[in-house]
Amino acid sequence: MSFTVQTPQRPLPGAYLQTPAISRTQTSLPSQPAFNTGSSSSLARNVLQPSNQSLAQQSPQSGQQVRPGGEPLNPIERASKTINETLAQETRYPELDSYIGQGISSDYNVSGATAWAPFQKVKLYAIPDPIFEQYNRAQVSTMMGLFAELNHAWVTIDNALYIWDYMQPNPDLIGFEEQPNSITAVRMVVPRPGVFVSSISRLLVIATTAEIILVGLSVQNIPTGGRTVTLYQTGMSVPIKGMDVCVVEGSEATGRIFFSGKGDGDVHELTYQQEERWFQNRCAKTNHTTKGLSALAPSLPFGQKPQPDYITQMVIDDSRRLLYTLSLKSTIRTFHIKPNGGLDVVITKYLTETLSNIGHMTSPSELISPNMSIVSISSIPSQEASKLHIMATTSTGCRVFMSATSSYGSPITGSSNAPTSMQVQHVKFPPADSVPTQGSQQQNNMQMTTYSSNPGINTSSKALRPTRRAARYPPGYFFCFVSRAPQVAADSLFITAPDSGRIARPQESSQLSRFAELGVWLEIGGHVEDIGLVSAPFSAAPSPAGFGNELAVQYDKTSSEVAILTNSGIHTLRRRRLVDMFASCIRVVGREEGLEEEVKKFIRQYGRGETAATAVAVACGQGLDVTPDSRVGEIIDPEIVEHARKAFIDFGGRPQFNENLMADQSLLAIDMVRPSPRHDGLALYIARLVRSIWKAPIAIESVTPSGGLAVHPSISLDKLREIQRALAKLQEFLNNNRSFIDGLAGPEALGRVATKQEEVALQAEHRAIHSLVLLISNIVEGISFVLVLFDERIEEIVLSLANETRQQVRNMTFEGLFCTGSGKNLAKELVKAIVNRNIANGSNVDTVAEALRRRCGSFCSADDVIIFKAQEQLKKASEAGSASEFGRNLLNESLRLFKQVASSLSMDQLHWAVQQYVSTQFYAGAIELALSVAQEGDRGNRALSWIQDGRPEQVQEAQCILSKYNMTNNTEQDPRATVFEARRRCYNLVHQVITALDQSSNQPPDMISGQYATRRDEAYNVINTSDDEAFQTNLYDWYLSQNQSDRLLQVQSPYVATYLERKSSDNVQHADLLWEYYSNENRYHDAAVVQLALAKSAFPLPLDKRIEYLSRAKANASAYAPGVGRQPRQLLLHEVSDLLDVANIQDDLLQRLKTDPRGTPERKLEIANELDGPILSLTELYNRYADQASYFDVCILIYQAADHRNPGDIAQTWQNLLDATHRETVARGEPQPYEAIIEKVRSLGTRLNLSESTFPIPVLVPLLERYSFENQRGVGPPTWVMDLFLELQVPYESIFPVLEGMLYNTVAPFDGRNRRYIAADMLHLLQRWFHDSSRGGAKVFGGDANAAAISETLQLLQQTGLDAERMEECRALRVRIEHVLR
């Protein structure tokens, strides 16, 4: 499979330039990597980086920073997420089994430079002179040893045992001399619970030549820091004569005691109990190896006596319930410690088998041969490794790691299962022969192999030969004592410790973590007698994953300390942490070039993130070193601190884009940026400081012996103070260096960026580091709060809480307190309980609150003090009664205080205050407080702008970086919506107040107090005078949701119109309310505008409703409106009228369609739906409906509305109209066709207002005359054509010329004798004209000239063939005209 790599036009930081291939030589890979790896490059790195990152850089910091619900993370949540990811990553530190796998190795970093030494000497404690005095009196034997965990040493001189505190300058000797036999072995064990009194925490098992004696030992701490030891006789002993006991071991988990001697080599158990029982003494011994009568049979002296092989060492692994023994002949036996008191041998591993196992892994070596022996064994508990069980050290200095398995070959996972076989898993060969000196370079040649030798591994080094004794302590501290010159009674000590940084950061992603160790040679100037672990056994985690992560606990736990007893004194050695090594390295550089080289070396070894974390730790005083007076103290050298500061700032790296997230188009550009290693190091340092408290509960409840409640801190208060001091130093460091750290430098840092990518990366860096800075402040304040809490009578405080709150206190962790809103709220509840308790005890609220504010200001600020005062005033007002003047004054004072801190009031506090105000009938105060809190929470009026923008649910955010790579923008929720939601919760409280107010008004009159009307007026005055437009909008929404729209029209507020204008764009009912509101306010022009908009809107309104709106709009536009000029009114009126005409035409089409018999019902319904809706254009009405349906009268109306003046089209349409009307009437059979024509023309004439263009008299008169002549001759009144026009009040002057032209021009069919029809209509017209013009004293026909011309025309009419009656009428009319002219 191949992949095509597409390179963007501009290089992206953080891209994978090369991806290393999987090694072909590696035969096996882990089923699951121990931890994830990330990108290997960063911006502006001066050092070539390996392909993998340190733990500090492996946590994924880029990606979408949102809550599960989709909301963006706030800074504290983001920082909390970072700390949780960092802590989770630290738990993924490789298991011991993952880097000590099948094979061999010889990887050491042995340097003569003390800066890199894993351990350092702390102090040499001399053996007291009285011991030497007693030693010189010894007659038989002496032994020496350590009780290291108690800081005590012991010596046996013949039959006496002496114990002393080696840390004291002149210690007192504690002696045990009450028995006469020589002591052969001494061991301190943990007793079985319930056998002795609680003060006896340990037992001394003292083996002599005749018996084993149990001595009780109690330990008390003394104020000066040491311990005192007291011995008690227990009266328990068991005879062991002839056994020569040399080895004793005890189980800490069960209290069982095992021993063995040189006489038989068997494993015995010393049993002990509180009282004697039948057939069972208080103390007895049991042989678990040779059982039954064979244990009592004497050995016969026949034959050759075999070479004795006895047990030289016992080791107990309580985690697996296993006992390991090592014999003189290097045989390792494994015993299973059974819960019922049994002990079974399950594995016997002879040296030959061990050599055979190793032979499969490496070529023959003189270090692994039958001539060698195993000098010591050390158990590896199951918490440290799941596969490895034991480590054996050979006389040649090789370490052999073995694992025990069950019969099926699977590792032992539980303590109840016994293993059946043991195999060698790994061999660690000694370092190079040459002992490094000061300044020598590190030796680093390590390679993992599988069942084959590797020439790169040194398998022949004699550096640790001969090894006399060795010891191993978790997580891998190895102490090897080499006797180079037997003639000199002095051992050389070789110490190694895991190089945790390199183990966590392997050099190649395809390989397992390497078994990397730091080593050092120490000369101790004496013969080693014993070694012991002074400090508690190391454990960074309870399981193998993360167990050995020393880096994670270097600031949380004290360093491991080991005591070594020699014949010259007791040496104490301290484990040096990585932070101590870094401080030592930069101490000796002396100049800038040297600092850079050391830091680069550190980066190569441990990664840039780990280096940044270590540097900031040194800069904050975490580095420790042994002082000249042999004390361990902080490194406060200003030069070292300054070097660390520069290392953190100059070598912290830069943020980079995560190229792998480019394909996710839902991410913002800033979420694709991975913060710098400096940020990762800072997060790592913080996480390591708080790791022990992060998930721990704040308090633990218990029951006292008397049955009372006891509340204790889960973490000691001294530990909390220690963490707080460290974080305060970090806080101070960041504040002092703010201007030098990218991400904290502020806006001026943007001036140093060159590209948009760098700008976005810097913004992401600022967001990430600023979040951590805020978290530091929260943690410091939170710890102060916890300290304050436990300074008080916390039991009384907890008991005063509600059950639900008390349960929250039980469940609250430090993380929840530091990082969550619920934690803050719970803290405020506790602060409130503290204040209330102190007030109840007579303390002043100001004094108590000020003390709280001074120690933990974020939990009890100055605003909190005012809130407490306001709540106190309100409670007093409730007690005094709201009807009294004193009570009202207290209410007003509480309101004033609440408003003063409105921005700090929580929703719960506001809700409580409003409820109290309503209960005291202080409605105006409740409303005013809720509105104040709403406004203070949104002083920028972002909620209002969101409302004005139409309440968008999402907002588009440009992604400049993405656009370069053809990636689309993504959406995020508009943050203003969240702001409005916060306001809305306050407004809901106002609604509740109004509801309570209205309910009071609904009570019977006799139950309403006389002050009710005043309080109601006060409340509504606050509502109506509020300038919070967002509130007014929300209030009006609530009115409408309650079906109280009439209430909205009664409100006298300028915001009503604005609200309805905004709402009317998407709701017709709101638009109706708007024009009604305008009409009520006499704003007729505005009402007409709204009605016109409704008529033109896309709302699903029927056509008749739109016509109604237009009719109302026409009426309102015609009315006088104050403040509106004549021209705007005329323009509006014209627009309304035109649209009304079109709407009427559309309605005509709709009504015509409904009665049209043509077409299918489905088609008619479809067309009706199209027409019964929005008003269409005239073009659509004509082309799609009127013309196609042959509705010629509608076509003429469209001509009129469209101002279409083409005479031909108009004439033809009129002709078509007449023809169609005639045909339809004839087809129906009624009425008479001419009657239908008259009605049609009369209707159109009226609607067309006798328009000259669409109702042309010169065209219509001939058309109708011809129609009457051709179709209705003799059917109706002979003059119905003229009567029609005169009924329409067409001027005589318009009709007469048309008829005169028809008469003179002999238009067909009015030629010849047919001219008499035109003459008859002319005569009728002139008679009516004469009659109408002669009334009122006006001039006939408008003037003498017209009368003379008409007289002549009458003369001509007499020649057209009129019948006798009309001829007589014509002469009579002419005579009357002539008479008038005279």
Side-chain angles (χ1 to χ4, degrees), residues 750-812:
L750 293 175
R752 300 194 293 266
V753 300
T755 65
K756 183 65 177 178
Q757 282 189 7
E758 292 181 5
E759 179 182 347
V760 174
L762 186 59
Q763 292 172 351
E765 179 81 353
H766 170 76
R767 183 179 72 170
I769 295 184
H770 178 66
S771 299
L772 293 179
V773 171
L774 293 179
L775 178 62
I776 293 171
S777 178
N778 270 22
I779 295 175
V780 172
E781 289 276 351
I783 292 177
S784 292
F785 171 73
V786 175
L787 296 176
V788 169
L789 190 62
F790 283 99
D791 284 346
E792 297 285 334
R793 297 279 305 213
I794 188 171
E795 289 82 5
E796 295 181 9
I797 294 172
V798 171
L799 289 173
S800 68
L801 300 173
N803 290 334
E804 181 180 356
T805 306
R806 184 173 170 183
Q807 184 61 40
Q808 291 175 357
V809 173
R810 295 190 193 103
N811 299 334
M812 179 56 64

Side-chain angles (χ1 to χ4, degrees), residues 93 116 202 297 336 345 350 720 911 1014 1060 1162 1206 1300 1310:
Y93 180 88
W116 290 92
R202 290 167 179 81
H336 183 222
V345 59
Y350 296 102
L720 293 178
H911 190 268
T1014 302
L1060 291 176
E1162 294 79 8
N1206 189 317
E1300 187 177 26
F1310 301 107

Side-chain angles (χ1 to χ4, degrees), residues 910-987:
L910 175 61
H911 190 268
W912 178 85
V914 168
Q915 283 184 329
Q916 293 298 313
Y917 283 144
V918 171
S919 65
T920 56
Q921 296 186 347
F922 190 29
Y923 304 111
I927 296 172
E928 190 172 349
L929 177 58
L931 295 182
S932 296
V933 172
Q935 286 183 314
E936 287 297 324
D938 179 26
R939 304 187 71 173
N941 265 340
R942 300 175 68 195
L944 179 60
S945 68
W946 180 69
I947 293 173
Q948 292 172 341
D949 289 344
R951 309 189 186 203
E953 292 298 328
Q954 291 181 329
V955 61
Q956 294 285 339
E957 180 161 331
Q959 301 288 329
C960 301
I961 303 300
L962 297 180
S963 63
K964 294 181 180 180
Y965 303 99
N966 299 321
M967 299 176 69
T968 60
N969 296 340
N970 64 323
T971 60
E972 63 175 9
Q973 184 169 351
D974 194 323
R976 298 175 299 173
T978 305
V979 177
F980 174 78
E981 181 60 26
R983 276 192 173 230
R984 190 183 64 81
R985 289 195 291 269
C986 299
Y987 299 152

Side-chain angles (χ1 to χ4, degrees), residues 1128-1139:
R1129 285 193 290 118
Q1130 292 297 327
L1131 291 175
L1132 178 61
L1133 181 60
H1134 178 71
E1135 182 181 2
V1136 171
S1137 299
D1138 288 347
L1139 190 61

Side-chain angles (χ1 to χ4, degrees), residues 83-362:
I83 297 301
N84 281 317
E85 290 175 349
T86 303
L87 291 174
Q89 186 62 47
E90 296 246 88
T91 62
R92 293 192 286 272
Y93 180 88
E95 299 183 18
L96 187 68
D97 300 315
S98 67
Y99 58 86
I100 304 183
Q102 190 82 24
I104 62 176
S105 64
S106 63
D107 179 44
Y108 294 90
N109 182 352
V110 183
S111 174
T114 58
W116 290 92
F119 277 84
Q120 66 181 151
K121 291 182 180 179
V122 179
K123 193 172 183 178
L124 172 62
Y125 297 95
I127 298 176
D129 291 337
I131 296 295
F132 286 111
E133 295 175 2
Q134 295 291 336
Y135 183 82
N136 292 331
R137 301 192 185 103
Q139 296 179 356
V140 179
S141 65
T142 60
M143 288 187 300
M144 299 178 69
L146 288 171
F147 299 146
E149 60 186 288
L150 303 181
N151 301 122
H152 279 61
W154 59 268
V155 62
T156 64
I157 302 172
D158 294 338
N159 65 325
L161 170 67
Y162 298 103
I163 304 172
W164 76 95
D165 185 348
Y166 61 77
M167 297 187 68
Q168 299 298 323
N170 296 304
D172 296 328
L173 293 184
I174 303 171
F176 177 75
E177 303 171 332
E178 287 77 10
Q179 58 88 28
N181 303 305
S182 296
I183 298 175
T184 59
V186 176
R187 187 70 175 177
M188 185 174 68
V189 300
V190 177
R192 194 167 64 246
V195 177
F196 304 99
V197 294
S198 60
S199 61
I200 298 180
S201 58
R202 290 167 179 81
L203 287 178
L204 289 184
V205 183
I206 303 174
T208 68
T209 54
E211 61 182 345
I212 293 181
I213 304 170
L214 297 184
V215 178
L217 185 148
S218 67
V219 182
Q220 293 85 31
N221 296 325
I222 58 178
T224 57
R227 297 184 179 93
T228 61
V229 172
T230 305
L231 302 183
Y232 296 92
Q233 286 281 4
T234 64
M236 295 183 180
S237 64
V238 63
I240 54 167
K241 191 169 185 179
M243 296 181 64
D244 193 9
V245 173
C246 59
V247 179
V248 180
E249 189 61 62
S251 169
E252 293 187 8
T254 63
R256 296 175 68 177
I257 302 172
F258 303 96
F259 62 93
S260 181
K262 296 180 181 179
D264 56 8
D266 293 338
V267 176
H268 301 266
E269 181 177 358
L270 180 66
T271 61
Y272 56 99
Q273 58 191 9
Q274 191 173 18
E275 298 177 352
E276 291 187 2
R277 300 177 183 174
W278 285 97
F279 308 107
Q280 191 173 10
N281 297 326
R282 291 183 62 198
C283 191
K285 69 178 186 293
T286 302
N287 189 332
H288 288 290
T289 307
T290 305
K291 302 181 178 180
L293 294 176
S294 60
L296 303 175
S299 59
L300 299 178
F302 304 113
Q304 184 177 4
K305 187 176 182 179
Q307 182 180 0
D309 184 22
Y310 57 87
I311 294 174
T312 59
Q313 185 183 4
M314 284 185 183
V315 177
I316 291 180
D317 181 359
D318 281 321
S319 66
R320 297 186 176 96
R321 292 184 178 272
L322 297 178
L323 167 67
Y324 305 103
T325 65
L326 174 65
S327 73
L328 182 65
K329 294 183 179 180
S330 301
T331 299
I332 300 174
R333 289 184 175 86
T334 303
F335 294 83
H336 183 222
I337 304 175
K338 293 185 176 181
N340 60 0
L343 184 72
D344 293 340
V345 59
V346 291
I347 302 173
T348 300
K349 188 78 172 180
Y350 296 102
L351 179 62
T352 54
E353 296 179 23
T354 302
L355 293 175
S356 176
N357 291 160
I358 299 174
H360 293 291
M361 299 182 181
T362 182

